[in-house]
Amino acid sequence: MTTDTPARLLQLLSLLQTPREWPGGELSDRLGVSRRTVRRDIDRLRELGYPVQASKGADGGYRLVAGKAMPPLVLDDEEAVAIAVGLRAGAGHAVEGVEEASVRALAKLEQVLPSRLRHRVSTLQAATTALTSGDGASIAPETLTVMASTVAGHERLRFAYRDKDGSESQRLAEPHQLVSTGRRWYLVAYDLGREDWRTFRVDRVREPCATGVRFAPRELPMGSAAEYLRRSIQRRPDTGTYEFEVRFAGSVEEVSSRVPGWVGVPEADGEGWCVVRGSSGDPVEWLAVRLAMTGCGFFVRGPAELAVCVRELGERLSRAGGAVAP
């Protein structure tokens, strides 16, 4: 019999999170309490925001259903390890659309994992490998989780950094946000040694360490970390970047919901059209694919290399789909 109410509530919640309906009598037997106590515990869970649905009948049943908000989950050891392994496997590569949320979730989970489970996660990851396309830099999940924790906690970060020319330096920074371009991770931070804002490629970061020193967040120039990163890359022509301009069919609102912020900010360009101007250091082939993935009609105004790549991509896709290329 579980006499500790918080422990009993956690045990009850763990049972209800199994996708099935639990008769009141079975819950009573599992928890070693009366059915009246089970009903009171169900009411407590509802007060905490868990949408527990009750069914009528001789024995009555309870099940957890989808609600308006996501309440905290209770995971057993196997579930926690499985989720951590999955998040760590994906965190090393920038997966557009879920990348920042994945890293935040991984940082939260690993913070509370017992050492025995953390060891199991590390062992499993060391014994497995992923087949990737090789078009993006691989990053240790630990690097991302340390950075994500300092961003969330407004904590100064110390790390070693390798510049594009190979020179090494030690940095002390106030991290603002992690930004993914779909192929690479970047950290936007205020560099205390340079006394200015900087962007750091995360794959060039080594030995990140949270200092434990808190700081008051500074106001970032240009407001958005994605916009700051885009303009920061644009100011460095020696990195192999190029300017591009693309005209999209759709309103600013429609295109903004489909085009990542790091690509550029859509601007109205006539009725039913908008234009995105930006710069990229990625291969034109990859940018062509990313533009096609927006699902919007578009025309490339420049550069010519990107226009040619988009046309060739369209022809290849038409042939692959069995259509006749124009």
Side-chain angles (χ1 to χ4, degrees):
M1 176 178 178
T2 307
T3 58
D4 181 41
T5 300
R8 189 177 66 247
L9 285 176
L10 287 175
Q11 186 180 354
L12 173 59
L13 181 58
S14 180
L15 293 172
L16 291 174
Q17 284 177 171
T18 303
R20 54 161 288 192
E21 182 170 293
W22 289 88
E26 186 173 351
L27 288 176
S28 174
D29 294 339
R30 288 282 193 115
L31 300 174
V33 295
S34 67
R35 298 190 184 189
R36 181 179 179 183
T37 300
V38 169
R39 289 194 293 270
R40 286 203 304 263
D41 287 347
I42 292 293
D43 289 338
R44 291 190 181 99
L45 289 179
R46 287 170 175 162
E47 291 172 0
L48 293 173
Y50 293 94
V52 182
Q53 186 180 76
S55 61
K56 297 179 180 180
D59 199 22
Y62 302 95
R63 62 190 297 264
L64 201 61
V65 298
K68 296 181 180 179
M70 176 68 183
L73 297 176
V74 176
L75 304 173
D76 62 27
D77 287 1
E78 302 302 323
E79 293 166 341
V81 169
I83 292 175
V85 169
L87 289 172
R88 285 168 67 94
H93 300 272
V95 182
E96 192 173 320
V98 298
E99 64 277 8
E100 293 182 34
S102 297
V103 173
R104 290 199 307 270
L106 179 60
K108 291 178 180 178
L109 182 58
E110 293 206 338
Q111 183 179 4
V112 297
L113 276 181
S115 58
R116 57 185 174 80
L117 296 186
R118 194 175 294 113
H119 175 71
R120 286 177 59 186
V121 171
S122 300
T123 301
L124 278 171
Q125 189 178 31
T128 59
T129 187
L131 179 63
T132 62
S133 61
D135 60 352
S138 180
I139 301 169
E142 293 84 356
T143 298
L144 285 172
T145 54
V146 169
M147 288 185 169
S149 297
T150 57
V151 168
H154 304 308
E155 188 176 349
R156 287 181 178 176
L157 179 71
R158 191 183 302 278
F159 56 92
Y161 191 69
R162 175 177 52 82
D163 291 320
K164 62 181 181 296
D165 59 3
S167 59
E168 300 273 353
S169 60
Q170 292 291 325
R171 303 296 183 96
L172 179 63
E174 296 177 351
H176 178 77
Q177 193 168 1
L178 284 164
V179 181
S180 165
T181 66
R183 292 180 68 248
R184 292 192 179 100
W185 281 102
Y186 289 85
L187 173 69
V188 176
Y190 187 85
D191 191 320
L192 294 170
R194 275 67 174 175
E195 297 185 344
D196 198 3
W197 288 93
R198 290 288 190 272
T199 58
F200 301 96
R201 270 181 50 173
V202 177
D203 58 295
R204 294 176 177 170
V205 170
R206 293 188 303 103
E207 302 172 357
C209 176
T211 64
V213 178
R214 308 285 177 177
F215 65 88
R218 302 171 188 263
E219 185 176 351
L220 177 69
M222 298 167 218
S224 164
E227 175 65 10
Y228 180 81
L229 172 63
R230 185 181 70 83
R231 298 201 181 187
S232 175
I233 294 175
Q234 185 176 350
R235 290 195 300 266
R236 294 178 287 179
D238 58 328
T239 59
T241 60
Y242 53 90
E243 306 293 320
F244 63 86
E245 183 174 331
V246 181
R247 192 173 190 238
F248 286 92
S251 65
V252 170
E253 292 75 18
E254 292 170 340
V255 176
S256 295
S257 67
R258 294 176 175 268
V259 176
W262 61 265
V263 173
V265 180
E267 300 174 3
D269 189 44
E271 186 175 355
W273 292 86
C274 63
V275 64
V276 173
R277 301 178 181 89
S279 62
S280 176
D282 295 315
V284 291
E285 294 84 0
W286 186 89
L287 182 58
V289 172
R290 185 60 194 87
L291 292 172
M293 290 173 60
T294 62
C296 300
F298 66 92
F299 299 94
V300 176
R301 289 178 171 174
E305 295 82 359
L306 178 59
V308 170
C309 187
V310 168
R311 183 168 59 250
E312 292 177 348
L313 174 64
E315 292 173 352
R316 288 198 300 271
L317 292 176
S318 295
R319 289 194 296 269
V324 178

